[in-house]
Amino acid sequence: MQISFTGTRNTSSIVEKLNGKRNITVRYLNTQLKDDEDGNDLTEYRNLVKKYDSFKNQYYSNFVNIACINNGGTNVFKLNGVIVPETDGYLPVFSFIAKITRKIALKPEENFENDRKYLISPYVDRALLLTRSLSVELNKYPDEYIDTIHNPKHVKLCAKKINKSLENTMMEYFA
């Protein structure tokens, strides 16, 4: 039996499309960080929020929530519900987001871990949207959507798209 650790667990994602005057797509990714043989993601995150206090997760200190808001090619990124300003001072935050999304996007599907205790916790309902209840937004009970939001294939795709959007944003920023 081969066990592979990759610094994340209980990872979920969802894509929200906001149609109004503009077509806006918001990709949400939420994951629990840990330190293991593959890296010190939790320690790195804790050091990051020591410097950037506003990016602490208000619900659980070892989870990060990443959102990418795309409005016709323009991207805005949030870490734990807070917009990351596109300035030199926040490059370490963007680097952290890139590292985590890249790790998740490259993680083999069979290595995704979900803890039953977490999956039945009240946090699951707010983990992705933070200030809104997913069960209210979807008009479903958590047990009706829990497998969908934790589907490794969907999670990996969401992480890949967030990472690509971040890469494009940084290319424009440095141009």
Side-chain angles (χ1 to χ4, degrees), residues 35-137:
D35 292 338
D36 58 28
E37 62 192 30
D38 190 46
N40 295 319
D41 296 328
L42 181 57
T43 298
E44 185 179 337
Y45 168 68
R46 287 184 174 155
N47 289 335
L48 186 74
V49 295
K50 281 180 187 175
K51 182 176 180 182
Y52 303 95
D53 187 58
S54 62
F55 293 111
K56 284 183 183 175
N57 186 312
Q58 301 303 312
Y59 300 98
Y60 282 98
S61 63
N62 60 342
F63 275 83
V64 292
N65 180 285
I66 298 167
C68 174
I69 304 155
N70 180 285
N71 181 6
T74 302
N75 298 303
V76 174
F77 297 89
K78 288 185 174 184
L79 181 60
N80 295 324
V82 179
I83 293 174
V84 183
E86 201 175 304
T87 64
D88 287 355
Y90 290 91
L91 289 177
V93 179
F94 285 110
S95 293
F96 176 78
I97 292 170
K99 177 183 174 187
I100 295 300
T101 55
R102 184 173 37 258
K103 272 187 160 185
I104 293 168
L106 295 174
K107 186 176 189 174
E109 288 182 28
E110 62 273 9
N111 290 348
F112 276 75
E113 300 175 50
N114 290 307
D115 176 21
R116 171 114 174 101
K117 185 178 175 184
Y118 166 74
L119 293 175
I120 62 171
S121 75
Y123 178 61
V124 169
D125 196 39
R126 295 212 178 257
L128 285 165
L129 303 180
L130 295 178
T131 59
R132 297 179 291 153
S133 165
L134 198 54
S135 58
V136 170
E137 296 292 324

Side-chain angles (χ1 to χ4, degrees), residues 161-175:
K161 288 186 176 189
I162 291 173
N163 189 269
K164 184 66 175 167
S165 294
L166 181 57
E167 183 181 299
N168 292 340
T169 299
M170 290 295 101
M171 295 282 282
E172 288 178 23
Y173 178 74
F174 287 116

